[in-house]
Amino acid sequence: MRVTTRRVLLLVGSVAALMVTLHLGQQVLECQQVLSERRHRLMRPENEELVMVDANHVEYRYSKDMPLIFIGGVPRSGTTLMRAMLDAHPEVRCGEETRIIPRVLAMRQAWSKSGREKMRLDEAGVTDQVLDAAMQAFILEVIAKHGEPARYLCNKDPFTLKSSVYLSRLFPNSKFLLMVRDGRASVHSMITRKVTIAGFDLSSYRDCLTKWNKAIEVMYSQCLEIGRARCLPVYYEQLVLHPEQSMHNIMRFLDISWSDTVLHHEELIGKPGGVSLSKIERSTDQVIKPVNMEALSKWIGHIPGDVLQDMAHIAPMLARLGYDPYANPPNYGHPDPLVVNNTHRVTQNTSSSH
């Protein structure tokens, strides 16, 4: 009888212990599920989309896989004109320079170049994958939210194209427009308009041309590395002389439908869905005008003789890009009738205002 009672008590105890164990196990699983869900909410999934709604309640979804457009080049090479012409398209929004994107890219590059810093970051768990995901999210957020939403977004910060190979990895469907201009004209514009650029000595044509050469060499090499399917060099002179043909080529490259509005950006400045200009960007007073030849040859007669003599040595990228380093003035080509008419109007307006 005692044995039987003992067995019953053991059985009851075992069943109770099993039930407690099962209950605790269930509680643990529920806790893990709650923590997992909370962690999932805190972590940004890699394919997360940024959602924006425009004034007409149209929803736009942006992600790292969208076809972002990056416009860059050495400052004073026509980057503002290029972005204003694209901004005139009803489905494209570029907006003003963010200024912050090239700086963040430069910091990212510095971390990679420093072996010691990279080792410290890796030890802290801040790996390349973590940094790249953060860069993707940051750049996309800035581009998307610093202006009105549109079907196609583009960014114009001249020096971003010094990081075009890296950006092409971050945004696998992005495309790049590298603005190329005769370095003599770019440098003359920097100096006469007092455009401060880090590292450029604006009191010296020789120094500025040397720095121009270094900067455009980096950007052009990266453009070639990405390949013509994703990076298109756009020659400022040809854009100005033949805007319609140039813009047709650019729109085909970007795979965006044609709109005549890109040829008349000046008519859309400050209008809703049109071209927004910054009051403090140096090029603003020029891009309010229609496409014209005013700035093409302003540099002629202003560069010191000793610099002109050494031009091929100072700026070898001139010849590599197809410019004659000894031609003063060079022959950039013949303008379209539209550009001749625009230039005549601009010249008349300038004369009547003085």
Side-chain angles (χ1 to χ4, degrees), residues 161-338:
L161 263 69
K162 290 176 87 172
S163 303
S164 49
V165 170
Y166 177 63
L167 283 168
S168 71
R169 290 201 304 269
L170 288 188
F171 302 101
N173 296 312
S174 56
K175 288 193 175 179
F176 301 81
L177 297 174
L178 172 61
M179 294 305 298
V180 175
R181 186 184 184 186
D182 188 327
R184 296 164 290 192
S186 294
V187 163
H188 176 69
S189 181
M190 287 173 205
I191 290 173
T192 55
R193 294 176 71 85
K194 298 179 173 61
V195 179
T196 306
I197 304 165
F200 284 68
D201 178 3
L202 296 182
S203 68
S204 166
Y205 273 91
R206 184 179 291 270
D207 178 78
C208 286
L209 278 160
T210 303
K211 301 289 171 50
W212 169 87
N213 190 82
K214 187 178 179 182
I216 194 64
E217 185 175 20
V218 170
M219 295 188 208
Y220 189 66
S221 297
Q222 292 209 20
C223 187
L224 294 180
E225 187 176 338
I226 293 169
R228 288 298 172 98
R230 293 190 63 190
C231 184
L232 179 70
V234 177
Y235 282 74
Y236 170 78
E237 294 82 10
Q238 301 313 308
L239 179 64
V240 165
L241 293 171
H242 313 292
E244 187 167 358
Q245 180 189 333
S246 297
M247 287 306 293
H248 269 290
N249 291 339
I250 289 163
M251 301 314 281
R252 272 196 300 271
F253 167 75
L254 296 174
D255 199 22
I256 298 175
S257 60
W258 175 256
S259 172
D260 282 333
T261 55
V262 300
L263 300 177
H264 307 285
H265 71 278
E266 74 284 357
E267 296 172 7
L268 295 165
I269 289 171
K271 295 186 178 176
V275 183
S276 173
L277 292 176
S278 165
K279 292 174 184 173
I280 58 170
E281 280 184 35
R282 294 283 185 163
S283 306
T284 294
D285 63 330
Q286 291 176 301
V287 295
I288 58 174
K289 302 171 187 175
V291 177
N292 66 86
M293 299 180 289
E294 222 183 8
L296 278 186
S297 52
K298 278 187 174 179
W299 61 272
I300 295 161
H302 293 279
I303 299 176
D306 63 309
V307 176
L308 288 174
Q309 268 190 327
D310 297 343
M311 191 62 70
H313 174 70
I314 296 168
M317 281 301 293
L318 282 172
R320 189 177 169 194
L321 293 168
Y323 297 100
D324 183 345
Y326 296 115
N328 299 290
N331 179 16
Y332 296 128
H334 300 289
D336 292 344
L338 169 73

Side-chain angles (χ1 to χ4, degrees), residues 6-67:
R6 191 178 295 158
R7 281 181 177 174
V8 170
L9 288 171
L10 282 171
L11 183 62
V12 170
S14 298
V15 170
L18 181 62
M19 288 178 69
V20 170
T21 304
L22 286 171
H23 180 70
L24 287 172
Q26 189 178 357
Q27 292 280 63
V28 169
L29 286 171
E30 285 175 1
C31 283
Q32 284 180 334
Q33 189 176 354
V34 169
L35 287 170
S36 177
E37 286 175 0
R38 191 173 294 169
R39 199 177 293 121
H40 183 72
R41 285 197 299 270
L42 291 172
M43 295 293 286
R44 294 169 63 101
E46 283 189 18
N47 61 347
E48 184 182 7
E49 291 185 328
L50 235 172
V51 181
M52 291 185 69
V53 180
D54 69 10
N56 298 316
H57 307 292
V58 177
E59 187 177 275
Y60 296 88
R61 292 180 175 273
Y62 304 128
S63 74
K64 68 181 179 66
D65 295 314
M66 68 179 290

Side-chain angles (χ1 to χ4, degrees), residues 73-124:
V74 180
R76 313 306 304 162
S77 294
T79 55
T80 305
L81 174 64
M82 181 74 262
R83 83 88 172 164
M85 293 175 81
L86 277 182
D87 251 332
H89 192 287
E91 293 188 313
V92 180
R93 193 267 288 157
C94 299
E96 297 86 348
E97 292 179 18
T98 71
R99 296 180 61 80
I100 197 167
I101 290 176
R103 294 176 189 183
V104 171
L105 286 166
M107 284 170 62
R108 174 71 181 96
Q109 192 176 38
W111 295 332
S112 296
K113 280 184 177 177
S114 168
R116 180 178 293 180
E117 187 63 24
K118 188 174 187 326
M119 184 178 70
R120 287 173 175 168
L121 290 169
D122 286 340
E123 282 293 314

